[in-house]
Amino acid sequence: SVSLTCPLPGVPKAVFAAAEGREKFETRVTVLENGLRVASQNKFGQFCTVGLLINSGSRHEAKYFSGISHFLEKLAFSSTAQFGSKDEILLTLEKHGGICDCQASRDTIMYAVSADAKGLDTVVNLLADVTLQPRLSDEEVELTRTAIRFELEDLNMRPDPEPLLTEMIHAAAYRDNTVGLNRFCPVENTDKIDREVLHSYLRNYYTPDRMVLAGVGIEHEQLVECAKKYLLGVEPVWGSAQTKDVDRSVAQYTGGIVKVEKDMSDVSLGPTPIPELTHIMIGLESCSFLEEDFIPFAVLNMMMGGGGSFSAGGPGKGMFTRLYLNVLNRHHWMYNATSYHHSYEDTGLLCIHASADPKQVREMVEIITREFILMAGAVGEVELERAKTQLKSMLMMNLESRPVIFEDVGRQVLATNTRKLPHELCALISQVKSTDIKRVVTKMLHKKPAVAALGDLTDLPTYEHIQAALSSKDGRLPRMYRLFR
């Protein structure tokens, strides 16, 4: 018998993962001859996450039918020049324990695969084929049309209106330009988008200089070799003609209101009815994620926090945030009050979503506008430190996940050609002072508001009254409106 304190005889000595200097944490970036950027991040483990991120999204569809990115997201990982069907792709990945996914947002489309690191060559070959050699057959396009129509119907029937409100607030804030363009394909465009339209779009936006091949959990040199093998000098299926319709517009914040009158009295999915609610979202322009003020805005968003009135948990769930303390704890009739911060390469939007009974809409608007104005007031030291600690904690917890690290690496390199590491971001968060919060809020409050309203809007104040309330000292609606509404 061998003592538990002694190694077993004949067993190789264990080698443990260790951090051996700063270079082990740094994101390495190589630019190929065709402009494609290859970025990688060390991470110990058997599996890796590799994907292509492309500077392409709904914001680039001004010269095309709206909804192309939505189509491309649904068509991803379908048949290609090498693979006859989606099933063949999934079977190929299965041999390496792999899964795949594609997500399209307003400014980026991302094709990603998580698999055993030993299958890297197969994974990069597959990604190159999926992005540059898709067949886009008539049958696949028709199935995608059906799937999109179903998704749009589902979107309008869901009891949770947040995706719909997010579209509406962007449309109000950036009317008919860039990030204000609809992320979902409008019903009337589903029959207009075909292979020819898709190829025309892909020819302009799926170019190597707009792409990043990012990988987490693999050796950088190995990823670069695979990129050269499968992504260098490859002729896309749509040809390599000169790009001519690339939209380089900068986001123009307009402010405004988008209203949708809708019967919300019967949105319950089960036998217990959900109360009829009216949903309001009010937003103001913040800043780009490339600006220094992005960090103070992120801290401010964490400080506002909020959630639903039936959220369970304690301080760890944000019960000390302002929207819990000042709104949900004091106004029992409010069902939801949540802060959101959307940030892009050239603009940003800080907004608050609130829900209540249709008869309480006026009071709800006053409460939310007051919270915006109070942002510019005094910020307690304890409150600020708690928000900064929560933000750092959330950042570090999220970056425990390999796919999240992959997305962070890809998005940062796509936007800036480099990557700020977590400890650098934590240092920037620690430096935020109460004066920084007051400064960014004061700048934000000088802008016109963006308003999205969904449900029974009988008692909704006019846009001018909401704008006047945000310009007042206490966030209250004009007296004439309150007396004679």
Side-chain angles (χ1 to χ4, degrees):
S1 61
V2 181
S3 169
L4 291 175
T5 58
C6 300
L8 290 170
V11 175
K13 189 177 178 181
V15 180
F16 296 99
E20 300 168 5
R22 181 181 170 85
E23 66 276 1
K24 290 288 182 183
F25 296 100
E26 286 181 344
T27 300
R28 296 180 62 186
V29 181
T30 299
V31 183
L32 303 187
E33 293 91 326
N34 61 357
L36 177 82
R37 285 156 286 179
V38 182
S40 73
Q41 178 73 45
N42 274 314
K43 186 170 174 65
F44 181 75
Q46 179 184 350
F47 285 81
C48 66
T49 299
V50 182
L52 273 166
L53 290 93
I54 304 163
N55 185 12
S56 156
S58 58
R59 71 169 294 165
H60 300 107
E61 294 172 3
K63 299 178 182 179
Y64 295 89
F65 295 121
S66 177
I68 290 176
S69 298
H70 195 184
F71 261 77
L72 291 172
E73 180 185 56
K74 298 292 179 196
L75 284 163
F77 296 100
S78 296
S79 64
T80 67
Q82 285 186 48
F83 301 93
S85 67
K86 192 164 194 164
D87 288 341
E88 277 189 41
I89 289 174
L90 295 177
L91 284 169
T92 303
L93 287 175
E94 200 173 286
K95 292 173 186 174
H96 300 284
I99 55 171
C100 61
D101 187 28
C102 177
Q103 292 179 7
S105 62
R106 289 188 149 74
D107 52 2
T108 311
I109 188 162
M110 178 174 68
Y111 298 81
V113 172
S114 287
D116 193 305
K118 292 175 185 174
L120 179 65
D121 191 83
T122 304
V123 166
V124 176
N125 178 23
L126 171 64
L127 285 166
D129 214 42
V130 163
T131 50
L132 300 177
Q133 304 287 335
R135 285 186 183 170
L136 306 178
S137 68
D138 292 340
E139 184 185 357
E140 288 169 345
V141 172
E142 190 55 46
L143 284 170
T144 300
R145 286 194 185 106
T146 305
I148 286 175
R149 288 189 191 110
F150 177 81
E151 189 176 337
L152 293 173
E153 281 183 33
D154 178 62
L155 196 66
N156 286 309
M157 292 167 62
R158 286 172 62 175
D160 171 26
E162 191 200 318
L164 210 55
L165 279 167
T166 302
E167 292 306 305
M168 291 165 63
I169 196 77
H170 278 82
Y174 307 92
R175 192 168 291 276
D176 298 328
N177 77 91
T178 57
V179 293
L181 300 177
N182 203 326
R183 193 168 65 85
F184 298 105
C185 180
V187 179
E188 63 271 16
N189 284 357
T190 52
D191 288 324
K192 298 175 184 174
I193 296 173
D194 55 21
R195 190 194 314 179
E196 188 179 337
V197 172
L198 293 170
H199 276 189
S200 171
Y201 179 86
L202 293 167
R203 189 176 296 113
N204 286 293
Y205 290 100
Y206 276 42
T207 55
D209 58 304
R210 300 177 71 88
M211 294 182 180
V212 169
L213 176 67
V216 177
I218 32 82
E219 292 296 327
H220 184 72
E221 290 76 13
Q222 192 183 357
L223 185 62
V224 171
E225 284 306 310
C226 289
K228 287 179 178 177
K229 186 176 176 182
Y230 297 112
L231 289 160
L232 197 59
V234 178
E235 176 83 10
V237 71
W238 48 84
S240 54
Q242 187 94 19
T243 60
K244 55 182 180 180
D245 285 327
V246 177
D247 184 4
R248 304 188 191 279
S249 305
V250 176
Q252 302 296 315
Y253 180 83
T254 59
I257 186 167
V258 172
K259 299 186 289 184
V260 175
E261 287 270 2
K262 188 178 176 186
D263 181 11
M264 306 286 283
S265 60
D266 187 22
V267 292
S268 177
L269 295 176
T272 307
I274 295 174
E276 181 182 359
L277 300 175
T278 294
H279 303 272
I280 305 291
M281 198 177 270
I282 299 175
L284 291 165
E285 188 181 23
S286 58
C287 73
S288 153
F289 58 68
L290 299 177
E291 296 178 46
E292 288 184 3
D293 285 343
F294 173 69
I295 300 294
F297 269 116
V299 174
L300 171 64
N301 181 54
M302 190 59 67
M303 196 170 73
M304 297 308 295
S309 59
F310 296 104
S311 291
K317 289 265 326 247
M319 293 299 187
F320 282 105
T321 60
R322 285 192 177 187
L323 292 179
Y324 268 116
L325 292 175
N326 301 346
V327 178
L328 293 168
N329 284 358
R330 295 183 182 180
H331 306 283
H332 64 89
W333 45 269
M334 291 274 280
Y335 280 79
N336 186 25
T338 313
S339 176
Y340 296 96
H341 188 214
H342 306 278
S343 197
Y344 305 96
E345 201 170 338
D346 49 3
T347 186
L349 191 65
L350 183 82
C351 43
I352 295 176
H353 167 208
S355 307
D357 186 277
K359 294 173 184 174
Q360 309 278 171
V361 169
R362 182 185 64 80
E363 291 89 344
M364 177 167 65
V365 170
E366 278 197 349
I367 288 163
I368 298 307
T369 52
R370 186 178 69 233
E371 287 306 312
F372 270 110
I373 289 163
L374 288 173
M375 288 180 194
V379 178
E381 196 60 38
V382 173
E383 178 185 35
L384 182 62
E385 287 304 314
R386 182 183 285 121
K388 292 196 290 187
T389 303
Q390 275 188 302
L391 182 59
K392 286 187 278 189
S393 172
M394 187 181 74
L395 173 71
M396 299 308 289
M397 276 198 299
N398 285 340
L399 289 173
E400 286 290 311
S401 165
R402 189 182 60 252
V404 174
I405 300 172
F406 154 76
E407 189 172 345
D408 183 49
V409 169
R411 285 184 181 276
Q412 286 203 50
V413 173
L414 193 64
T416 66
N417 296 319
T418 185
R419 181 188 179 223
K420 275 194 174 76
L421 297 174
H423 67 269
E424 294 176 293
L425 291 170
C426 287
L428 291 171
I429 293 167
S430 297
Q431 292 167 16
V432 174
K433 299 180 175 64
S434 57
T435 51
D436 296 321
I437 301 292
K438 188 167 185 175
R439 174 175 51 79
V440 297
V441 172
T442 303
K443 186 168 71 172
M444 181 176 68
L445 286 171
H446 282 102
K447 305 286 177 70
K448 289 172 64 179
V451 182
L454 178 69
D456 181 348
L457 308 179
T458 309
D459 287 346
L460 178 71
T462 65
Y463 178 74
E464 290 73 24
H465 285 125
I466 295 172
Q467 190 174 359
L470 278 167
S471 304
S472 67
K473 292 181 180 179
D474 57 4
R476 292 178 71 81
L477 292 163
R479 189 166 180 270
M480 289 298 287
Y481 170 76
R482 295 205 311 277
L483 289 174
F484 303 111
R485 67 185 177 87

